[in-house]
Amino acid sequence: LIGSRTGSWAKGALIGAVVGGASGAVLGNYMDKQAAAIDQNVEGAQVQRVGESIRVVFDSGLLFTTGSSTISAASRSNIEQLARILNTYGDTNVVIEGHTDSIGNEATNQVLSEKRAESVATLLKVYGVAPNRMSAVGYGETRPVATNETEVGRNLNRRVEVLIYATDALRQQAASGQLRL
């Protein structure tokens, strides 16, 4: 969450890891199990553990057709699997980020990224993930991970990221030794 707000996911995750202190190992184990479940059960998702958080990246080409915010039929089952895991690990919050490449109008790309993030959030809600655990945000073309000068780079920039982090209650449980894995 810190990284999402500061513009640097890795920096935010490192800050979160430092803040975690002694409870980090217990909390890390909880998050490791969740990340492993996502990695094993959600096709088309790249899963990374960063600090005490999880970063799941979906290539938007897997989720949406070009210029659309309607989730493809093939991807609905992946989102359903993700929702099941999120529901199993209910002590986490989720930020869904939509991103685009820089082709086309900047304002149009911004709206498209917002709609794509909201589409994923809406489908997660349909599959039972509590709305108060989620927030959806679109960044348009402002946060590229690769060059927009090549098709390969543009494909990498068209993505949806799901950032999963511990709730304050989970952190308190870990700090007090009350967390059961």
Side-chain angles (χ1 to χ4, degrees):
L1 180 62
I2 295 166
S4 180
R5 293 200 175 147
T6 65
S8 172
W9 208 94
K11 179 180 176 183
L14 291 174
I15 292 168
V18 170
V19 171
S23 64
V26 174
L27 187 56
N29 191 19
Y30 181 92
M31 299 303 279
D32 283 344
K33 288 181 179 187
Q34 185 173 195
I38 294 168
D39 194 38
Q40 292 170 1
N41 295 295
V42 181
E43 291 183 36
Q46 297 174 353
V47 181
Q48 293 178 303
R49 280 279 284 116
V50 182
E52 292 179 353
S53 303
I54 302 167
R55 178 177 176 244
V56 181
V57 180
F58 289 96
D59 176 342
S60 69
L62 298 173
L63 296 175
F64 309 98
T65 59
T66 302
S68 172
S69 61
T70 302
I71 298 174
S72 69
S75 295
R76 292 178 75 82
S77 66
N78 289 335
I79 302 297
E80 181 179 10
Q81 286 293 347
L82 178 60
R84 286 181 183 170
I85 295 163
L86 291 172
N87 287 331
T88 299
Y89 293 88
D91 290 323
T92 55
N93 287 325
V94 182
V95 176
I96 301 119
E97 297 182 349
H99 303 271
T100 67
D101 62 25
S102 64
I103 301 300
N105 179 288
E106 187 175 338
T108 300
N109 285 339
Q110 178 62 38
V111 171
L112 180 60
S113 70
E114 292 168 5
K115 287 182 177 180
R116 286 179 170 177
E118 193 56 47
S119 289
V120 172
T122 298
L123 191 54
L124 287 170
K125 289 175 197 172
V126 166
Y127 292 127
V129 179
N132 65 333
R133 293 179 57 198
M134 293 187 288
S135 61
V137 62
Y139 289 106
E141 57 190 63
T142 64
R143 294 189 177 179
V145 293
T147 180
N148 278 301
E149 301 301 316
T150 67
E151 185 57 35
V152 171
R154 288 188 295 271
N155 283 337
L156 291 171
N157 291 332
R158 292 187 297 258
R159 67 198 188 281
V160 171
E161 295 188 16
V162 178
L163 312 174
I164 305 165
Y165 61 96
T167 62
D168 289 339
L170 180 61
R171 289 180 190 282
Q172 289 172 358
Q173 288 174 24
S176 68
Q178 300 294 323
L179 180 62
R180 292 187 177 83
L181 301 174

